[in-house]
Amino acid sequence: MSENMTSVYGGSTPSDAPAETPKRKTRVHHLQAMKAEGRRWAELTAYDYSSARIFEEAGIPVLLVGDSAANVVYGYDTTVPVASCGTVTAASTAGCAVSAASISDSSMR
């Protein structure tokens, strides 16, 4: 192996790089501060463990999980049949994958 390795996302990572410091959890007050400072952040929808894990590793601070799981995951024409039970299942599955990102039911404005 060479001294510099390529990370999953294409950047080079020195083999002797220090261990990654743990990420802090993103809380509402962090997002409020970012908004007050005029900073923007990405929010992506994750209904499963794999997607949530990849998004968090990419640094996405907020993951959206909501009733649209009815359409995207379960194949219904509307969101009505899923109610809260299906949303809770999707949110808990995504939540198992993350340690720092926040899980939200809808985007914050």
Side-chain angles (χ1 to χ4, degrees), residues 46-62:
Y47 301 111
D48 58 45
Y49 181 93
S50 300
S51 297
R53 184 70 182 229
I54 291 167
F55 294 160
E56 184 179 57
E57 287 178 9
I60 306 301
V62 178

Side-chain angles (χ1 to χ4, degrees), residues 22-69:
K23 297 175 187 170
R24 71 174 188 188
K25 288 191 176 281
T26 302
R27 305 279 191 215
V28 172
H29 69 272
H30 296 128
L31 298 175
Q32 289 171 330
M34 289 169 62
K35 184 174 180 178
E37 295 167 4
R39 293 172 43 201
R40 294 179 172 210
W41 62 89
E43 297 180 8
L44 293 175
T45 304
Y47 301 111
D48 58 45
Y49 181 93
S50 300
S51 297
R53 184 70 182 229
I54 291 167
F55 294 160
E56 184 179 57
E57 287 178 9
I60 306 301
V62 178
L63 302 181
L64 305 174
V65 178
D67 59 359
S68 60

Side-chain angles (χ1 to χ4, degrees), residues 7-27:
S7 74
V8 176
Y9 303 107
S12 68
T13 305
S15 57
D16 59 345
E20 211 175 293
T21 57
K23 297 175 187 170
R24 71 174 188 188
K25 288 191 176 281
T26 302
R27 305 279 191 215

